[in-house]
Amino acid sequence: MNGLIALVPIPTPNMDLGQIAPLEIVFGAALISVLVEAFVRREGRRRVQLVLVFASLIAAVAALVGLAGTRTLTAQASVAVDGPALFMQGTVLLLAIVGALLIAERSIDPAGDAFAPRASALPGGREERELTAAGWSQTEVWPLFLFCVGGMLLFPASNDLLTMFVALEVLSLPLYLLAGLARRRRLLSQEASLKYFLLGAFSSAFFLFGTAMLYGFAGTFSLGGIADALSGNAGDNGLVMLGVALLAVGLLFKVAAVPFHQWTPDVYQGAPTPITAFMATCVKVAAFGALLRVMYVALGGVRWDWQPMLWIIAIITMLVGVIVAIAQTDIKRMLAYSSIAHAGFILLGVIAVSEAGIASTMFYLAAYGFATLGAFAVVSLVRDSSGEATHLSQWAGLGKRSPVVAGIFTLFLLAFAGIPLTSGFTSKFAVFSAAIAGGATPVVIVAVFASVISAFFYARIIVLMFFAEPAEEGPRVVLPSAFTALALAIGVAVTVLLGVLPQPLLNLAQQAGIFLR
Amino acid sequence: MTPNYYIVLSALLFTIGAVGVLVRRNAIVLFMCVELMLNATNLALVTFARVHGNLDGQVMAFFVMVVAAAEVVVGLAIIVTIFRSRRSASVDEASLLKY
């Protein structure tokens, strides 16, 4: 058997370039963006990068719309172009456009954008002061951002574990760096970056070992091939169980499910706020896309083995998220725990194992993503002399000083809490009903309970903003430029629209249908 | 040839790496432990490729090496930056963010 390896002819790769056009556009723009860093003069770089980023993201959306309805495997069956993949990619792209608006903002901070003038300069050192005074800004953020978006587009569409691993790393590595580039509180930012990197690398090693175990069982990395091997062999499955568990650890780390959530609050707090916003939304979409695909396509045959595990993880994720969020005194950490709790709610859609489960998960991700981007955009506006005023006590009485900003933040909090007429209600309703139809009623009961607890701490912040007396030396709300204003407007519009008129997007999610094998 | 021995060795190396990440304190050593985990996986992949008589596992091992190299670039950059601002690479001292 072993001697025959060399004789197998290498097949010609089948690759329809048109079917992966969005990926090509984003990765191509990322490569050009690296060249722009090298060859365009410093004064003109920012403008060129902005044009490149927005043009490529919008072109990718257009290419994606052109692909609507396609159901095929391409690139030697390593990339799936099907409804869920296209829906997830579209969500990632739209969220990335709004995230890019936040990253491009530079009139909030008097010194410029949210990023350190030079990552290698010592925090608080002479070089940093000189560069800040000279008005330097770091446009290297943009190539990193584009590579990250490219990885996120590939992650939910990858149809074999090799592609999925590469996509995981392509999306993670730039994020580790982006997390460490904050202009203010740089020690915190660098610490966040270190923690994210070490834990992220640790979890991808688990993902990889799980991949190796599944390969050992099935002899192939393709998700469909693993499913075939599982259906043909019901008995001996020690390797499978080990593989499923380790693979799930890697993916659940990325979606920030308890007990793999420890990095989330630290990284969300330490990273520059626009990056936090981007990371909290797009990573979650991409990672849930990949989780759904692995669990439904490759491991659907052993669902009775992984479903109970995900039940337990969903329950503890929701409970730990909401209970620890109550005790938080920092607004960014509070939003981080809230995002952990939301990961638990979204897991309800995953454990439903049905077409409705896929559709409701995708709807939830889109609704949650726009509200979260908006919430972090508001956080970036409330500042004092040292940067963002993130301590909760500083937010007291904000509603009296700037009712519009406090009102917008209230809308997002109500959406997180799942109050009717916001997108949060529709999306919670969708995942809860899908989970009940999938037989997970006990988990849904816990979820309703967790929603009630979460409403408590969201309401506490609303009360704090509108009914507490403002502090003497309180923070002020900075008037943003068109970038953040547009991002906020989109966040508000989508949150209200999906609450009042959710049917078009729900229909689209349902039409996206099931995964292609 | 019994592939089992190689798989057991790979699992042992992976476990040593994982325990190392959990108990060691220096960021560089932690990072080396992660690399040990990746290389343990490579051993498993190559062994399984031999068992199944196809090349997929060996191809994957190459990808893992490339990714590990990229991870070294990013990781060392982050660790060196932290070291320059704190004069220490201990992960216990990087504790401004908590609770």
Side-chain angles (χ1 to χ4, degrees):
Chain A
M1 162 174 93
N2 296 320
L4 292 176
I5 291 175
L7 300 177
V8 179
I10 298 171
T12 324
N14 112 56
M15 191 104 163
D16 185 342
L17 293 178
Q19 286 165 345
I20 49 170
L23 280 166
E24 289 160 358
I25 293 170
V26 172
F27 278 124
L31 294 175
I32 297 171
S33 177
V34 173
L35 294 178
V36 168
E37 283 301 314
F39 293 111
V40 175
R41 289 171 61 85
R42 181 164 287 278
E43 301 82 59
R45 253 182 237 171
R46 177 181 144 90
R47 187 165 302 150
V48 177
Q49 293 284 23
L50 283 185
V51 171
L52 184 66
V53 166
F54 286 106
S56 65
L57 291 181
I58 291 168
V61 174
L64 204 63
V65 172
L67 284 175
T70 318
R71 270 179 79 78
T72 177
L73 299 179
T74 183
Q76 283 296 92
S78 66
V79 176
V81 185
D82 55 12
L86 293 174
F87 192 98
M88 297 282 185
Q89 290 181 333
T91 315
V92 166
L93 281 171
L94 293 176
L95 290 170
I97 291 175
V98 182
L101 289 172
L102 296 179
I103 297 175
E105 172 69 55
R106 62 171 181 183
S107 62
I108 291 178
D109 195 317
D113 54 19
F115 302 99
R118 184 185 280 168
S120 62
L122 277 184
R126 194 167 60 91
E127 189 188 3
E128 190 193 62
R129 278 198 303 279
E130 285 173 3
L131 291 172
T132 308
W136 278 46
S137 68
Q138 205 164 43
T139 42
E140 287 92 339
V141 169
W142 294 112
L144 292 172
F145 171 79
L146 282 175
F147 276 117
C148 190
V149 174
M152 288 165 178
L153 294 183
L154 183 57
F155 200 35
S158 31
N159 195 42
D160 64 40
L161 291 171
L162 198 167
T163 315
M164 197 171 268
F165 175 68
V166 173
L168 172 70
E169 293 296 325
V170 171
L171 87 84
S172 303
L173 293 179
L175 271 183
Y176 302 148
L177 292 172
L178 287 171
L181 293 179
R183 180 185 286 277
R184 309 279 179 160
R185 304 195 182 114
R186 286 189 59 198
L187 285 181
L188 287 189
S189 174
Q190 291 178 354
E191 184 179 320
S193 172
L194 179 72
K195 286 178 174 172
Y196 195 17
F197 168 72
L198 286 174
L199 292 175
F202 191 47
S203 79
S204 38
F206 278 100
F207 180 92
L208 196 61
F209 205 71
T211 303
M213 293 301 115
L214 286 179
Y215 171 65
F217 170 76
T220 171
F221 289 112
S222 117
L223 298 183
I226 292 171
D228 290 341
L230 282 173
S231 64
N233 181 339
D236 163 48
N237 52 11
L239 277 179
V240 179
M241 284 305 105
L242 194 60
V244 172
L246 292 173
L247 205 63
V249 169
L251 290 166
L252 290 172
F253 174 89
K254 279 290 155 206
V255 306
V258 179
F260 317 109
H261 69 293
Q262 302 290 355
W263 59 277
T264 318
D266 285 358
V267 176
Y268 281 20
Q269 187 188 355
T273 307
I275 298 300
T276 309
F278 170 59
M279 172 157 81
T281 55
C282 293
V283 174
K284 211 152 250 180
V285 179
F288 266 108
L291 183 69
L292 276 174
R293 187 175 292 280
V294 168
M295 290 308 185
Y296 282 38
V297 176
L299 306 175
V302 286
R303 56 183 276 203
W304 305 116
D305 292 307
W306 57 258
Q307 241 177 342
M309 179 180 86
L310 281 190
W311 274 38
I312 295 168
I313 286 181
I315 289 174
I316 58 175
T317 303
M318 290 182 289
L319 290 180
V320 169
V322 295
I323 290 171
V324 183
I326 295 176
Q328 296 308 309
T329 53
D330 184 285
I331 192 94
K332 279 169 91 176
R333 282 185 95 77
M334 196 282 290
L335 287 175
Y337 278 104
S338 135
S339 108
I340 293 171
H342 281 285
F345 294 130
I346 305 174
L347 276 175
L348 286 178
V350 179
I351 57 183
V353 197
S354 62
E355 206 170 320
I358 302 175
S360 61
T361 305
M362 294 193 300
F363 182 85
Y364 200 120
L365 286 166
Y368 160 83
F370 283 99
T372 306
L373 275 173
F376 279 108
V378 173
V379 170
S380 73
L381 294 181
V382 182
R383 307 179 73 91
D384 58 16
S385 56
S386 68
E388 283 157 9
T390 53
H391 199 276
L392 269 185
S393 64
Q394 292 172 298
W395 284 59
L398 194 74
K400 294 182 178 153
R401 209 171 295 150
S402 27
V404 175
V405 169
I408 292 174
F409 198 62
T410 304
L411 172 71
F412 293 135
L413 291 179
L414 292 178
F416 289 148
I419 305 297
L421 292 185
T422 61
S423 60
F425 174 75
T426 329
S427 47
K428 276 214 176 91
F429 185 80
V431 288
F432 287 3
S433 48
I436 288 178
T441 315
V443 192
V444 175
I445 293 171
V446 178
V448 171
F449 184 59
S451 301
V452 174
I453 304 179
S454 76
F456 165 72
F457 65 79
Y458 294 128
R460 199 184 55 164
I461 295 174
I462 299 172
V463 169
L464 186 76
M465 286 194 300
F466 284 99
F467 301 109
E469 280 307 311
E472 285 291 310
E473 295 287 308
R476 63 202 177 83
V477 171
V478 184
L479 205 62
S481 71
F483 287 118
T484 302
L486 184 59
L488 270 177
I490 295 174
V492 171
V494 174
T495 304
V496 174
L497 207 65
L498 291 185
V500 183
L501 204 69
Q503 211 52 48
L505 189 67
L506 271 176
N507 286 345
L508 192 66
Q510 272 149 13
Q511 278 163 19
I514 50 170
F515 291 101
L516 185 66
R517 272 193 50 193
Chain B
M1 178 201 114
T2 326
N4 279 356
Y5 295 135
Y6 294 92
I7 298 302
V8 170
L9 175 64
S10 144
L12 273 177
L13 288 174
F14 187 84
T15 315
I16 292 171
V19 172
V21 173
L22 297 175
V23 301
R24 297 302 295 264
R25 289 291 168 258
N26 185 303
I28 302 273
V29 178
L30 246 72
F31 190 31
M32 281 158 58
C33 289
V34 171
E35 295 295 312
L36 183 62
M37 292 165 80
L38 294 182
N39 283 316
T41 313
N42 275 350
L43 181 60
L45 285 169
V46 173
T47 312
F48 284 132
R50 171 99 177 168
V51 172
H52 289 295
N54 64 27
L55 287 176
D56 294 8
Q58 298 186 28
V59 172
M60 179 84 176
F62 277 111
F63 274 90
V64 175
M65 283 182 220
V66 175
V67 165
E71 221 168 56
V72 168
V73 174
V74 170
L76 283 185
I78 293 171
I79 294 172
V80 168
T81 318
I82 285 262
F83 180 77
R84 271 160 49 87
S85 39
R86 291 171 192 263
R87 293 278 136 212
S88 151
S90 164
V91 286
D92 277 358
E93 284 174 33
S95 59
L96 293 169
L97 292 161
K98 49 188 163 189
Y99 313 122

